[in-house]
Amino acid sequence: MTANPVLVEVTRGEMVESRHRGSVAVVGANGQTIAGIGDVTRLIYPRSALKPLQALHLIESGAAAAYQLGEREIALACASHNAEAQHVATVIRWLKRLGLDESALECGAHPPRRSFDREALLHQGKTPGPAHNNCSGKHCGFLTAALHEEHPTQAYITREHPVQQAVMSLIGELAGSSFQEVPKGIDGCGIPVAGIRLDRLATAFRRFATGDGLSGARASAAQQVYKAMVNQPFMVAGTNRWCTNAIEAGRGAFIVKTGAEGVYCGAVPEAGIGIALKIDDGAHRASECAMGAVLSKIPCLETLFADSPPELTRAAVKNVAGKTVGEIRPAAAFQKMITRDLG
C-alpha cells in the first residue's frame, strides 16, 4: 500500500521537525474529482466536520421554523464550540424554548476549551455541564427535531432513533453512498458514525454548496444553514478558532468545518466545489493548514486569501516565552499538486 503524501511540515529553526501525511479530495462540476491527493477512496469517519449536513434535517423537518430558531441557533447546531459564555447561554435558552433543561442532553459534559472560560467557571463555583460540551448545539438540534416530529427525546443519540435514521439517510443521499456495509462506530458525543470515502464526503459538501440534484426543500435548507454559518461565524467555533477566523475572512465566499482526528470539510458555492481532507495521524494543526492551502489555490478565492491573515495558511510555532521559533506550513510538493489541479 502506497503511503499518503506529506501535506504539512512543522519547522523549528532551520529544520523540518515533523511531517503530517494525509489525503485531500476536491470535487467540482458534475461531481468530478478535480483534485485527488493521496487515497481518497479509503473509508474515514467524518466526525464533527459533518455537522452542517446533519443540521439540514433540523430545517427540512420543519422543526427550526416551528420553534422559531434564528441564525445563532442554526449556526450553533453546526458548531464545535469553545463553550464561551455566549455559546452556553444560547444552548440554555434554546433548551428552555423546547421546555427542556440540560439533563435532556445526552452528549456528556466536558470543560470549556479555553483556560479563561474554565477559570471563570471555577471562580463561580460551578462545574461544566452538558451545555459546555462542544457538540451541545448539534444535540439541541436533534432534540428539536425529535419533539417536532413527536419522537421520544430519550435515547435520541442511538442509531435506531428515527432522528438519527433520518440524518444518516440524508447524508447517504447527499454523498451517493450506502452505509449498510461499512464500519460503524460512536462519536465522542455519543452519536452514531459510519465510514465514508473522502471523495464521497467532498461530493456531499459540493451538493450542499450548489444545490445540484437536490429537491427545492433540501436546497433551501442548505442555503439557510450556509447563511447562518457565514453570518454567525463566532457561534460555529469561537474566539481564536480557525473555523471562525476563516469564515470571517471569507466574507460569505465559503464555509469550513473541522472534525476530530484531522478531518476538515469545506464548501465553495461560486466555484461549485466541495472539499474533504483527512490527516493520517489525526493532527488538528495539520488539517487547518492543509485546508487553508487548498482554499487559497481555488481561483475565485486567490485574491481574497492574498488579503487575508497569513495564519490561515501558515501558523507560527512559539516557545514558552512566546517567541516564534518555527512554523506550520504546507509542504512544497503538496502546494505544487494543488496548484496544478486547481489553478
Side-chain angles (χ1 to χ4, degrees):
M1 180 178 175
T2 303
N4 283 327
V6 172
L7 304 185
V8 175
E9 300 172 337
V10 183
T11 70
R12 184 174 298 271
E14 298 176 350
M15 188 172 78
V16 174
E17 186 173 36
S18 299
R19 296 172 175 84
H20 298 282
R21 296 181 181 273
S23 47
V24 179
V26 182
V27 174
N30 302 316
Q32 297 298 309
T33 300
I34 56 179
I37 297 168
D39 186 355
V40 300
T41 64
R42 179 171 63 94
L43 297 178
I44 69 155
Y45 289 137
R47 307 296 298 270
S48 286
L50 206 57
K51 286 175 180 173
L53 308 186
Q54 292 169 322
L56 293 176
H57 180 66
L58 175 63
I59 312 296
E60 273 191 11
S61 65
Y67 285 93
Q68 299 181 320
L69 301 183
E71 288 185 335
R72 288 172 65 84
E73 290 86 2
I74 294 169
L76 196 61
C78 304
S80 299
H81 61 74
N82 280 348
E84 296 178 60
Q86 291 182 55
H87 299 126
V88 177
T90 303
V91 167
I92 298 299
R93 287 196 300 268
W94 187 349
L95 289 168
K96 186 175 181 181
R97 189 178 302 182
L98 302 179
L100 302 172
D101 59 28
E102 269 191 283
S103 65
L105 294 172
E106 297 178 355
C107 52
H110 63 64
R113 183 185 182 97
R114 301 190 309 163
S115 60
F116 175 89
D117 301 301
R118 294 195 296 271
E119 291 166 4
L121 273 182
L122 184 64
H123 291 155
Q124 295 167 25
K126 297 179 180 179
T127 57
H132 294 87
N133 189 299
N134 74 96
C135 298
S136 59
K138 174 179 70 177
H139 283 250
C140 284
F142 292 151
L143 283 167
T144 305
L147 284 169
H148 179 66
E149 297 177 304
E150 299 182 347
H151 299 312
T153 56
Q154 293 77 25
Y156 68 85
I157 62 173
T158 61
R159 196 176 301 276
E160 298 74 26
H161 193 279
V163 169
Q164 298 302 333
Q165 290 281 311
V167 169
M168 195 67 75
S169 176
L170 185 156
I171 302 303
E173 291 169 11
L174 285 171
S177 295
S178 169
F179 297 125
Q180 294 300 314
E181 304 295 332
V182 298
K184 298 178 178 64
I186 301 298
D187 212 330
C189 65
I191 69 159
V193 294
I196 185 172
R197 288 168 42 151
L198 205 63
D199 55 356
R200 302 314 301 169
L201 183 57
T203 294
F205 271 84
R206 183 192 73 84
R207 298 184 75 193
F208 169 84
T210 63
D212 184 25
L214 305 185
S215 68
R218 181 160 294 173
S220 176
Q223 289 178 353
Q224 194 170 339
V225 171
Y226 186 94
K227 284 182 61 178
M229 293 181 73
V230 299
N231 289 337
Q232 298 289 339
F234 174 82
M235 301 307 291
V236 175
T239 303
N240 293 328
R241 292 285 299 281
W242 198 89
C243 274
T244 292
N245 293 344
I247 294 172
E248 285 180 344
R251 300 190 291 274
F254 61 85
I255 59 98
V256 290
K257 183 66 189 72
T258 186
E261 297 301 326
V263 180
Y264 240 103
C265 291
V268 188
E270 181 183 342
I273 277 176
I275 307 163
L277 64 85
K278 171 77 168 80
I279 302 300
D280 290 351
D281 62 13
H284 187 67
R285 65 183 184 181
S287 63
E288 294 175 343
C289 178
M291 178 57 79
V294 173
L295 289 170
S296 70
K297 297 301 182 182
I298 296 173
C300 68
L301 300 180
E302 285 185 314
T303 300
L304 186 152
F305 267 79
D307 296 333
S308 295
E311 291 80 10
L312 293 183
T313 53
R314 293 170 180 255
V317 173
K318 297 186 177 182
N319 65 11
V320 176
K323 180 181 178 181
T324 297
V325 295
E327 67 174 351
I328 304 166
R329 69 189 187 194
F334 174 46
Q335 293 198 84
K336 288 180 181 178
M337 291 178 199
I338 54 178
T339 300
R340 174 199 68 205
D341 294 341
L342 302 178

